[in-house]
Amino acid sequence: ITTLLNSIKKNINYLTEIGFFPDIQVLFYDNSNLDSDFFTQFSIDQSLKIEVLSSGENLGFGKGHNRLMEKAFSENSDAYIALNPDGFLHYKAIYELWALSKEYNHQSLIEARQVPVEQPKIYDPLTLETPWCAGACLFIIKDIYEITKGFDENIFMYCEDVDISWQVQASGRKTLISPDAWFYHDFSQRASDSEFIQREKLIAARYLAYKWGNYWIGRNFERKLIRRKLISSLSKLPPRPLKSGF
């Protein structure tokens, strides 16, 4: 988190040097109920306006970000950048995200380019359009928030970024990648084979499939959950969502 905060400071310094005078606030959502004083060490730094929200429980990725976005946009912020705490920004990243948003009239959902390993998906090198935007470093303009109301809170973690991307596309807007906005996010050492992560990925993918009308893909994810013994029965799963109206 210290590294992430230092990278935000470098972005503010760069923006100031080139004639921008950004009013940036840092919001944390404490998804832990273990140590309520943990964020105090960061709030001492007065060079950044840091505020911590918490409910004493783990709300999950999307619901936690929604609480932060609700606060940010209720206080007339122009944009919100969702950031994973296990990464950090290149010193020009915020400028590049804002510049690309402006180029597209502030009507697009935009992700930063992840380094050293990019997301395994395509994007058009000319239009910069991509099928979906990853949530690790995601630039959300106020209009996009008002259209989507944030992430789908029925998803605890994984696939909520895909869902919000598809909502943006269904509204006639674009999902873009900014290849010059770099976010260092090395997930190569993550325990991706743990039972918890496998289960959450498949549960989220199942929800996404049913929500967007692909019954057979949803059934396939259910079979994988049973076959891999990640759940004991389908009755342990949340109810299937209604098909999206988009």
Side-chain angles (χ1 to χ4, degrees):
I1 292 175
T2 299
T3 303
L4 176 60
L5 291 175
N6 286 336
S7 74
I8 294 173
K9 290 180 187 177
K10 291 177 180 178
N11 274 264
I12 293 173
N13 291 339
Y14 175 73
L15 289 166
T16 303
E17 288 173 3
I18 63 174
F20 288 79
F21 298 96
D23 183 11
I24 292 178
Q25 182 178 15
V26 177
L27 299 175
F28 286 111
Y29 197 93
D30 184 0
N31 256 346
S32 171
N33 59 2
L34 301 177
D35 184 0
S36 59
D37 297 325
F38 174 79
F39 285 96
T40 303
Q41 59 185 306
F42 308 110
S43 301
I44 294 172
D45 185 354
Q46 296 300 312
S47 63
L48 290 172
K49 293 184 291 183
I50 297 176
E51 189 170 347
V52 181
L53 280 65
S54 176
S55 65
E57 61 177 326
N58 189 349
L59 299 181
F61 181 93
K63 189 179 288 188
H65 274 296
N66 284 353
R67 298 299 175 271
L68 297 178
M69 279 191 277
E70 182 180 8
K71 176 175 177 56
F73 290 122
S74 69
E75 297 177 356
N76 297 317
S77 294
D78 296 310
Y80 175 88
I81 305 177
L83 293 170
N84 272 30
D86 59 344
F88 61 90
L89 295 155
H90 184 270
Y91 75 95
K92 292 184 179 180
I94 293 178
Y95 168 77
E96 294 294 347
L97 288 167
W98 179 262
L100 183 59
S101 181
K102 182 179 179 181
E103 183 179 338
Y104 281 83
N105 298 314
H106 299 304
Q107 292 294 308
S108 301
L109 185 68
I110 303 174
E111 69 168 317
R113 180 180 182 179
Q114 293 189 47
V115 295
V117 181
E118 292 189 83
Q119 285 286 337
K121 61 186 179 69
I122 62 170
Y123 64 87
D124 189 307
L126 298 179
T127 67
L128 305 181
E129 292 184 55
T130 187
W132 58 274
C133 292
C137 181
L138 187 60
F139 186 89
I140 304 171
I141 207 74
K142 187 173 184 178
D143 283 352
I144 295 295
Y145 173 74
E146 291 177 347
I147 291 166
T148 61
K149 305 306 178 187
F151 296 105
D152 187 329
E153 296 189 2
N154 293 300
I155 302 174
F156 182 73
M157 61 186 297
Y158 297 114
C159 295
E160 63 283 287
D161 47 8
V162 179
D163 178 73
I164 196 173
S165 297
W166 290 354
Q167 290 186 53
V168 169
Q169 292 172 6
S171 74
R173 292 162 176 81
K174 299 181 184 300
T175 51
L176 308 174
I177 184 169
S178 175
D180 297 321
W182 295 359
F183 183 68
Y184 184 88
H185 185 226
D186 187 3
F187 51 86
S188 60
Q189 301 302 316
R190 185 176 296 168
S192 58
D193 57 346
S194 72
E195 284 192 6
F196 171 77
I197 291 181
Q198 284 188 55
R199 181 172 59 252
E200 292 303 324
K201 282 183 175 179
L202 288 172
I203 289 174
R206 165 193 178 265
Y207 177 90
L208 189 73
Y210 282 128
K211 177 178 179 178
W212 289 88
N214 198 320
Y215 172 85
W216 294 110
I217 293 294
R219 288 286 294 144
N220 184 49
F221 288 129
E222 290 175 347
R223 285 192 289 269
K224 286 183 178 180
L225 283 160
I226 295 293
R227 188 169 65 248
R228 297 179 188 178
K229 298 181 179 180
L230 298 173
I231 58 171
S232 56
S233 72
L234 295 180
S235 64
K236 302 296 183 181
L237 292 171
R240 294 175 184 172
L242 296 175
K243 184 178 176 181
S244 174
F246 289 99

